[in-house]
Amino acid sequence: REAKNPEEDRYRLMQAVTSFLANAAKVKPMLVILEDLHDADKGTLEMLSYVSRNLPGTRLLLVGTYRDVEVDRNHPLSGALAELRRVSSFGRVLLRGLNIDEVRRMLSGITREEIPVRLAEAVHRQTEGNPLFIQEVIRYLTEEKLIDSSGGKMKTSDIAQLESNIPEGLRDVIGKRLSNLSEECNRLLSVAAVIGRDFSLDTLRLVVNLDEEIFFDALKEAIQTAILEERKQLGTIHYRFTHAFFRQTLYEEMIAPRRLQLHQQVARALEKQYEKRLGDHAAELAEHFSQSTDPADLEKAVKYGEMAATKAIEVYAYSEAVRLLDQAINVQEILDPEDEVKRCDLMLVLCDALLGVPDTRRVIESEANETYKLCESVGDDTKAARVCKLALWAIGLEQAGPGYITPEFAEWTKRIDSHAQPDTPERAYADYSLGLSLGLTNPDQAHQYVDQAINLSRQLGDDDTYYYAGSIILLVRSKYMEERLKLAEELWESSRRGLRGRNARVLAWIGDAFLATGDRQRTEQVFNKLRTLVDQRPGDILLRDISTLMDAVISLYDGKIIEAWDSAEEVRINGETIGTAQGTTIWASIVLFRAGLYLGNSFENTIPELYFSGPAFQMLLFLEHAYRGQMEEMSSFLDYWKGQDKNISAHTVAHVNILALEGAVLAGDHQAAEYVLNELKDSGLYTSGFWYPTCVPRHFGNAAALLERYDEAREHYKTAFRVCTEMNFRPELALTHLNFAELLLDHFPKEKAEAIEHLDFSIQEFREMKMQPSLERALGRKDILKA
């Protein structure tokens, strides 16, 4: 057979493929995906160009993928792309790493579990959103049993281990990329890996011992293969490993003596290079000097570590501060294990940084006790009192109210009381802690101590104790609205002049006081300031959780109940998964409880029973039983509570009484309802603030109706209408319409027409807000009327 013209054969083949695809697309729209075009030969790319030019108007979509780092201007694909740009239907999509939300969705898709935000953040930090890396990391987490989904909740045991290890599958992929580079390029990159993820050209040149031409050729190769990326800055040139895994792999491949040698060279080069700006590079210097065996270098490592940790705390980068301080303490132990004063100073700062993470368990179980022993050993009362204060802070952050009546809180209070000197910030905090520990057993003395604390802290300008003691007064004296509002105004004005560190959390209690009196506008001002601080302090996780819960409460007021539920659930899951302070977890659970009442959600796993040691938490637990229909348990607890409360009624937190009033009405307990109604009706409370969002006058109306004081009930409901309307407290407004309609239908039959109007309004609102239990109740009343 006579040989045909190769060019003609090639043309006929391309024409045949084009015709086949066009005909197939007429039958059904087609998507053709071509993977890894960077590996395609010239003939395949010519075929792609021809087909693309000759299929206009067909129901065919061609999608090609390639790694741009593999394609330089001499690559065949580069010419093909230039040709394809002439096709009008051609489009190019640059793919970047997934963001945190996308990482979370991908992880959920792989594990079929709800993924906490902070786990997604950790995976995002490690993988930078690369889907392949994410897949390998989740496989690693599962194989190493670092994540556990038992009990219906995704948990991780060690985020730090995730961030310090490279999954084996990724190591192979990265190793293959690096093996394709020249020996000189790998040598340059190894030195760069010791310097860090980011480094300047000047530092690299000071350490790398290569001929200048070879040096720049190797640098160019690293950039062209996308191992490094160039970042020009004014007056200098910086480079960065495109992914942390590249740097980590190169670093771990070096033998230890070579690493130590390079660290020492880098440390000296950096110290010389930044001699006028050492503070800005303290973290880098501490890292490199800590790898030395020279005592003079180790001393510098401790000094620079302290310097860098202080700067990290100033910008709320608490996790980084903890890392730096742990490193400095370990170096100090090698340098001079007998220097207890130095170790004590470092440990004090470490405890403070741990509270910002927050890692309260580590403070309570180990670091505070060790630091306290060091303080006693060196005979320093001031430092001993300070570490007691940090331990007490940790207990309060972790356990909230129940923590104040624990033996460990009592022990640390006893310690601070013995070490705090008169007229010092430590003395103010000791009085504050004494007040907290005596809150249930001796309320009168407890209030005296808290008053002493706030007066002394005012006098000394001690913001820490002033805001913390002020917060307790705002909570505990919540029945005395005149005093409470006066203090809230004082704290608000003071806070507007600036809030540092953890003092920003006082804004939650200020907002709660304003919200309790029905002043939503002032509340929004406080919450807006809190949101601004969260934006300014991205490293303050606890502050972010508090702000999220504030938003959840506001959503609840606005009738966005599902949104409120989701926000509170996120905080609760994060707290339980990552181990953040239990105080926010408790609060999140309470918001979930209230939202769950509205929605009719299951209470299972919403309220963590292990926290319920204080009266407020016990009351909430039994209220949960009452809503499940277990009235006997509610009645039993009310009997107990009535006996106890007579001894502490002057100091009972209003939230407890509001819960008791709601429970008394549910249980039909006339005695308890009358007792609590008399306690609260002149308190000036319109809502229970953010702690347990509800409208207080509505509950007054329900209690008065139970006690057959129907005219009084009407007046309370009218107040509830006004409060809920002014505050836009939508769920409670709808419930007030339902309760008022029931009152009119049952006891004012002549006002049936008005009752029906209220009933119809509530039904419409319940439907829109998906308040199913209340909707069914309202519809039931409507059915009775029709019958």
Side-chain angles (χ1 to χ4, degrees), residues 258-309:
R258 177 59 175 158
R259 281 203 302 264
L260 293 178
Q261 182 187 50
L262 286 172
H263 274 296
Q264 196 172 49
Q265 292 176 21
V266 171
R268 283 160 172 59
L270 287 172
E271 199 171 36
K272 179 180 179 181
Q273 186 178 353
Y274 300 118
E275 58 184 347
K276 295 181 180 178
R277 297 181 291 122
L278 292 175
D280 294 338
H281 300 272
E284 298 169 75
L285 290 162
E287 179 71 31
H288 294 298
F289 276 120
S290 68
Q291 302 293 330
S292 177
T293 55
D294 185 335
D297 287 347
L298 296 179
E299 191 172 341
K300 287 182 178 180
V302 174
K303 180 185 75 172
Y304 288 127
E306 283 186 278
M307 191 185 301

Side-chain angles (χ1 to χ4, degrees), residues 227-280:
I227 306 298
L228 297 179
E229 58 185 2
E230 193 171 87
R231 297 189 167 196
K232 294 181 180 179
Q233 297 180 11
L234 186 64
T236 186
I237 298 174
H238 277 72
Y239 292 92
R240 175 182 174 87
F241 282 95
T242 53
H243 201 285
F245 282 143
F246 290 132
R247 185 241 170 182
Q248 194 173 343
T249 299
L250 286 159
Y251 185 84
E252 291 175 359
E253 285 178 348
M254 277 184 281
I255 60 173
R258 177 59 175 158
R259 281 203 302 264
L260 293 178
Q261 182 187 50
L262 286 172
H263 274 296
Q264 196 172 49
Q265 292 176 21
V266 171
R268 283 160 172 59
L270 287 172
E271 199 171 36
K272 179 180 179 181
Q273 186 178 353
Y274 300 118
E275 58 184 347
K276 295 181 180 178
R277 297 181 291 122
L278 292 175
D280 294 338

